Amino acid sequence: MPAATQSPPATDLATHRPNQSEDVYNRVFWLAFAANLTMVAANALTFRFAELVVFLGGTEQTTGEIVRAGMFGAIACRWFLGRWLDHYGTRRVWLLSTLMFATGAIVFIFCREISWTIYIARIAFACGIAGMSTAGIVHIQNQVPAHRRTEVIGNFGSSGFLGMVLGSQLGDLIFYLTSDGFDRFNILFGLAAALAVGYLVLVLLITRGVEHSRPEETPGPLPLLRQYWPGMILAVAMMMGVSFTVTSVFLTRMVTERGLGGIGMFFLAYCTAAFFFRVASSRWANRFGSDNLVLMGL
């Protein structure tokens, strides 16, 4: 999944140590791996969100408006996310983001019409994902030596492909076993919320005993952008975001309109190829450089 450019990570005393062990695939890594898989599976269940909007009387355009509101909320949230991590620590931001995600999924269950409620729920849901994914990456990269961070982040991210397969398959199964009606969406988003609760438990285990030390300086987003301007990487990330939004939001409507069954097969093929390529290329950045790796990917 595409990762947004973020400010330099906050420092947690319990996770950032001068002499990190070379054994990077330890208990914390695998707990974080399981947590990320759970989060992405919960998110993949909501790839059927457009079906809920249509069921409530909206259109594809309505879906776009709601999703756009959520994306604007997530962008605004990311604008301050780095500073919040510096001020309050990874654990607090991580737990709060998880609660926002779960709350958004629960509110979807109680939506009975297109109103401001579903917009607010989508914003909370999108902000929750932004915070969860960012906090997870910050925490896991602080566990390892600098020269192995690219490798570990790549392998950590592979859990997302597994979660995407699991979530899309579960969504197809729910739609296959249930008839049209609110029960279908109650089960769908109820399961997403239940997975979020499981994720919350894993985060509590991962961050147990973490103490946060606030940095002396916490520069704002504008100075950071000027100093660490990502250049064309930002444009690449934007295009990746566009392509992912199309497939994760509107693919389900095309499949329904054309009677193609479900979306699980598409994501199974996509994620299988991406998973094996990511594992195989986990150390390529050290060999070829990050910029060359981006060009190879394009």
Side-chain angles (χ1 to χ4, degrees):
M1 295 177 68
T5 302
Q6 298 145 6
S7 58
T11 300
D12 288 319
L13 294 182
T15 59
H16 191 77
R17 299 181 293 273
N19 298 312
Q20 296 107 322
S21 170
E22 287 292 328
D23 181 20
V24 297
Y25 300 106
N26 50 26
R27 173 180 175 273
V28 172
F29 173 84
W30 290 114
L31 281 174
F33 187 96
N36 196 56
L37 189 155
T38 303
M39 179 196 74
V40 177
N43 184 40
L45 282 167
T46 69
F47 289 175
R48 294 283 194 168
F49 178 76
E51 304 287 358
L52 171 65
V53 174
V54 172
F55 177 74
L56 295 177
T59 64
E60 283 75 16
Q61 181 177 348
T62 310
T63 302
E65 293 170 351
I66 297 171
V67 171
R68 182 170 64 241
M71 288 297 101
F72 278 131
I75 291 171
C77 178
R78 284 187 181 274
W79 192 250
F80 302 100
L81 199 51
R83 180 168 283 189
W84 291 340
L85 287 165
D86 283 340
H87 281 215
Y88 306 111
T90 304
R91 178 183 173 89
R92 290 181 181 178
V93 174
W94 209 348
L95 293 175
L96 178 61
S97 299
T98 306
L99 290 175
M100 292 177 66
F101 179 95
T103 300
I106 292 171
V107 173
F108 289 150
I109 298 173
F110 295 99
C111 289
R112 292 295 182 265
E113 61 182 0
I114 303 297
S115 67
W116 63 268
T117 306
I118 197 169
Y119 284 85
I120 297 299
R122 186 73 194 192
I123 292 171
F125 182 85
C127 290
I129 294 176
M132 292 158 76
S133 58
T134 302
I137 293 175
V138 167
H139 186 83
I140 202 65
Q141 75 174 16
N142 283 343
Q143 298 290 317
V144 301
H147 69 279
R148 298 196 65 182
R149 283 180 179 173
T150 303
E151 170 198 346
V152 169
I153 291 174
N155 288 332
F156 168 74
S158 66
S159 61
F161 296 126
L162 299 177
M164 203 178 299
V165 170
L166 176 62
S168 58
Q169 294 290 338
L170 285 173
D172 279 0
L173 182 62
I174 291 170
F175 265 61
Y176 176 76
L177 295 177
T178 58
S179 57
D180 291 338
F182 283 111
D183 288 345
R184 165 180 287 180
F185 298 104
N186 292 344
I187 296 171
L188 188 73
F189 294 109
L191 181 56
L195 288 173
V197 173
Y199 180 88
L200 182 69
V201 173
L202 289 171
V203 172
L204 289 171
L205 291 174
I206 293 167
T207 59
R208 184 171 55 187
V210 168
E211 297 178 3
H212 177 67
S213 177
R214 178 176 171 178
E216 293 182 3
E217 296 184 7
T218 54
L222 286 177
L224 287 172
L225 275 177
R226 284 196 297 266
Q227 186 174 357
Y228 301 102
W229 178 249
M232 291 304 296
I233 296 296
L234 181 62
V236 172
M238 289 175 63
M239 294 312 300
M240 291 176 66
V242 170
S243 64
F244 185 72
T245 299
V246 170
T247 55
S248 63
V249 176
F250 297 105
L251 179 67
T252 180
R253 292 301 303 149
M254 187 196 79
V255 167
T256 299
E257 290 293 329
R258 298 184 181 180
L260 300 178
I263 61 177
M265 186 58 69
F266 172 87
F267 286 104
L268 176 62
Y270 164 74
C271 294
T272 300
F275 174 81
F276 284 109
F277 184 81
R278 175 165 287 194
V279 172
S281 63
S282 60
R283 299 197 181 191
W284 286 9
N286 292 333
R287 295 175 57 188
F288 305 115
S290 299
D291 291 344
N292 289 331
L293 189 58
V294 170
L295 290 175
M296 292 168 64
L298 289 174

